[in-house]
Amino acid sequence: MSSATLDHADLLDETPAAKPARKRPTRDRHVTDFIQLCEQARDAGLMERDIKWYVARIVRQSLGYLAVLALFLTLGQSWWQLVTAVLFAFLCTHTAFLSHDAAHRQVFASAKKNAWLARFAGNLFVGLSYGWWMNKHGKHHLNPNKIGVDGDIDPGALVFDPENAAKRTGFAKWFARRQGAFFFPLLTLAALDLHISAVRRVLDRKQVVPERKAEIAMLVVRLVILPAFTLWFLGWGLGLAFIAVQVMALGVYMGGSFAPNHKGMPLVPKDVKIDFMRRQTLMSRNISGGWWVDAGMGGLNYQIEHHLFPTMSSKNLKAVQPLVRAYCAERNITYTETTLGQSYMIVMRYLNRVGLGQRDPFECPITAQLRSAR
């Protein structure tokens, strides 16, 4: 889909002994341009890691967990504990954001240190497997919204590809036609699904899971010992209610933070190749809204910038946004940004239209052209 150009050939030496000029390797213009964008970001200091900022973030979250623990122990067997459950889910989601950043090597220069921070935060505090996350999320970043490759759009309770929706029958077909309306109710089960996927991954010996024993140990603490202590301390009735509210709130918050980034954006056929810049930009959506959106979504609201610079600290994504905007404007690349509320409406309408068997209503011209050419 992109036109390739040759760099200028070396000038010939005007002497009888001159050798024929050799053509330099062909480099795609889009690749060259993106390298220039990377250099601009690097020159602006936006690729530098800020460990102090992450340490402060970890300290704030630690104090938050201590405050929630104190509230939990103080309230005792009171139904106000359900508020504590929501606060705990809030903190777990922000720890998931931290684990996400570490998994992308944004915190430390050392890959090993980043991996352990992501593993510790994700397994012990959120209840998801770092090994599972890296496998799934890595494929997503390489090919966002690519059918058959990006696991985030694989058919499940929700279906994102009209062709898969057309194959459903009976209740599944009925549900798919109304799936947009069930979007938020299903998010209440998202955290439970993450927990189940984590356990399956670490217990499946056929799957490669680095530091498997450490992951299992941390998941046992988070998913067995912590719930058991909750039931012992609060009793069966209140304890089960606490666990249920915490799991549902975690699913809604996490799912509500990740879903707006790609859902409802163009789908890419498995056999279509697109250059890196367009692959990451056209399939991603930014969320505007000011500081509260920045804080509430942990930097995921700058999804375009994050996909272009996955190792850039989430702290710097806002600063690099003007560079990316200008780059896209100069090259007529669609840059999608909307509010959080509008993004949810887009996602729900998209899901309903997919369930009705309609083609992707948000298909970009480039992707449509490629599809028709195949």
Side-chain angles (χ1 to χ4, degrees), residues 81-129:
Q81 288 285 18
L82 300 186
V83 176
T84 309
V86 174
L87 294 175
F88 182 49
F90 175 87
L91 286 171
C92 289
T93 302
H94 279 265
T95 304
F97 295 154
L98 175 64
S99 180
H100 172 268
D101 285 8
H104 279 288
R105 303 184 180 183
Q106 297 176 15
V107 184
F108 303 105
S110 167
K112 186 176 182 179
K113 290 181 180 179
N114 279 306
W116 273 107
L117 175 58
R119 187 176 290 116
F120 182 77
N123 286 264
L124 188 59
F125 287 87
V126 187
L128 63 84
S129 164

Side-chain angles (χ1 to χ4, degrees), residues 45 60 64 103 116 119 148 153 164 175 190 193-194 200 202 237 239 251 259 264 268 281 296 303 322-323 331 346 361:
R60 288 196 302 270
W116 273 107
R119 187 176 290 116
I153 58 171
N164 286 326
F175 184 87
D193 183 59
L194 287 177
R200 285 178 175 174
V202 298
V268 184
T281 304
Q303 192 67 194
L323 296 178
R331 291 154 183 81
I346 290 172

Side-chain angles (χ1 to χ4, degrees), residues 5 7 27-37 327:
T5 60
D7 292 338
R27 172 173 283 177
D28 192 295
R29 173 174 55 84
H30 301 306
V31 175
T32 302
D33 288 349
F34 183 68
I35 290 175
Q36 294 174 357
L37 178 62
Y327 179 97

Side-chain angles (χ1 to χ4, degrees), residues 103-263:
H104 279 288
R105 303 184 180 183
Q106 297 176 15
V107 184
F108 303 105
S110 167
K112 186 176 182 179
K113 290 181 180 179
N114 279 306
W116 273 107
L117 175 58
R119 187 176 290 116
F120 182 77
N123 286 264
L124 188 59
F125 287 87
V126 187
L128 63 84
S129 164
Y130 168 73
W132 169 83
W133 174 260
M134 286 298 291
N135 178 68
K136 183 175 184 291
H137 199 60
K139 293 177 181 178
H140 161 71
H141 263 266
L142 287 174
N143 292 284
N145 277 20
K146 194 165 190 175
I147 298 173
V149 180
D150 183 0
D152 287 357
I153 58 171
D154 283 346
L158 296 176
V159 58
F160 302 97
D161 181 4
E163 293 183 2
N164 286 326
K167 298 176 182 177
R168 299 199 168 191
T169 59
F171 175 77
K173 182 178 182 179
W174 177 90
F175 184 87
R177 289 174 176 269
R178 300 161 178 82
Q179 61 180 350
F182 289 97
F183 173 66
F184 278 105
L186 283 175
L187 287 184
T188 62
L189 302 176
L192 179 62
D193 183 59
L194 287 177
H195 296 333
I196 293 173
S197 297
V199 173
R200 285 178 175 174
R201 181 78 182 190
V202 298
L203 295 182
D204 187 354
R205 293 293 175 177
K206 297 180 180 178
Q207 300 289 340
V208 177
V209 180
E211 305 296 340
R212 185 189 302 272
K213 291 182 179 179
E215 287 212 22
I216 291 175
M218 287 185 278
L219 287 175
V220 166
V221 172
R222 176 62 177 83
L223 301 180
V224 178
I225 295 178
L226 182 60
F229 173 76
T230 301
L231 293 174
W232 172 80
F233 186 77
L234 297 180
W236 282 97
L238 181 57
L240 288 174
F242 181 98
I243 294 171
V245 169
Q246 187 274 323
V247 170
M248 290 190 292
L250 177 61
V252 171
Y253 191 4
M254 283 190 63
S257 299
F258 282 91
N261 302 328
H262 301 281
K263 302 298 184 286

Side-chain angles (χ1 to χ4, degrees), residues 183-368:
F183 173 66
F184 278 105
L186 283 175
L187 287 184
T188 62
L189 302 176
L192 179 62
D193 183 59
L194 287 177
H195 296 333
I196 293 173
S197 297
V199 173
R200 285 178 175 174
R201 181 78 182 190
V202 298
L203 295 182
D204 187 354
R205 293 293 175 177
K206 297 180 180 178
Q207 300 289 340
V208 177
V209 180
E211 305 296 340
R212 185 189 302 272
K213 291 182 179 179
E215 287 212 22
I216 291 175
M218 287 185 278
L219 287 175
V220 166
V221 172
R222 176 62 177 83
L223 301 180
V224 178
I225 295 178
L226 182 60
F229 173 76
T230 301
L231 293 174
W232 172 80
F233 186 77
L234 297 180
W236 282 97
L238 181 57
L240 288 174
F242 181 98
I243 294 171
V245 169
Q246 187 274 323
V247 170
M248 290 190 292
L250 177 61
V252 171
Y253 191 4
M254 283 190 63
S257 299
F258 282 91
N261 302 328
H262 301 281
K263 302 298 184 286
M265 296 303 289
L267 300 183
V268 184
K270 189 174 183 178
D271 58 345
V272 169
K273 294 183 179 180
I274 306 177
D275 66 89
F276 176 80
M277 178 69 191
R278 284 163 178 77
R279 182 168 71 245
Q280 303 300 340
T281 304
L282 296 176
M283 315 310 159
S284 303
R285 178 194 296 113
N286 276 16
I287 305 299
S288 61
W291 68 268
W292 72 274
V293 174
D294 293 355
M297 295 187 69
L300 294 176
N301 50 312
Y302 298 103
Q303 192 67 194
I304 294 174
E305 288 72 23
H306 170 58
H307 266 255
L308 292 175
F309 306 100
T311 60
M312 178 182 289
S313 170
S314 56
K315 173 188 176 184
N316 295 332
L317 294 176
K318 182 178 181 179
V320 81
Q321 186 182 39
L323 296 178
V324 176
R325 279 183 180 275
Y327 179 97
C328 291
E330 290 172 2
R331 291 154 183 81
N332 197 31
I333 300 174
T334 302
Y335 184 99
T336 304
E337 184 173 37
T338 186
T339 64
L340 186 61
Q342 289 173 338
S343 72
Y344 290 142
M345 294 303 298
I346 290 172
V347 171
M348 289 188 288
R349 286 197 300 266
Y350 170 80
L351 288 172
N352 280 338
R353 296 184 70 170
V354 168
L356 292 171
Q358 299 181 26
R359 299 301 300 176
D360 186 352
F362 303 99
E363 194 170 51
C364 69
I366 294 178
T367 309

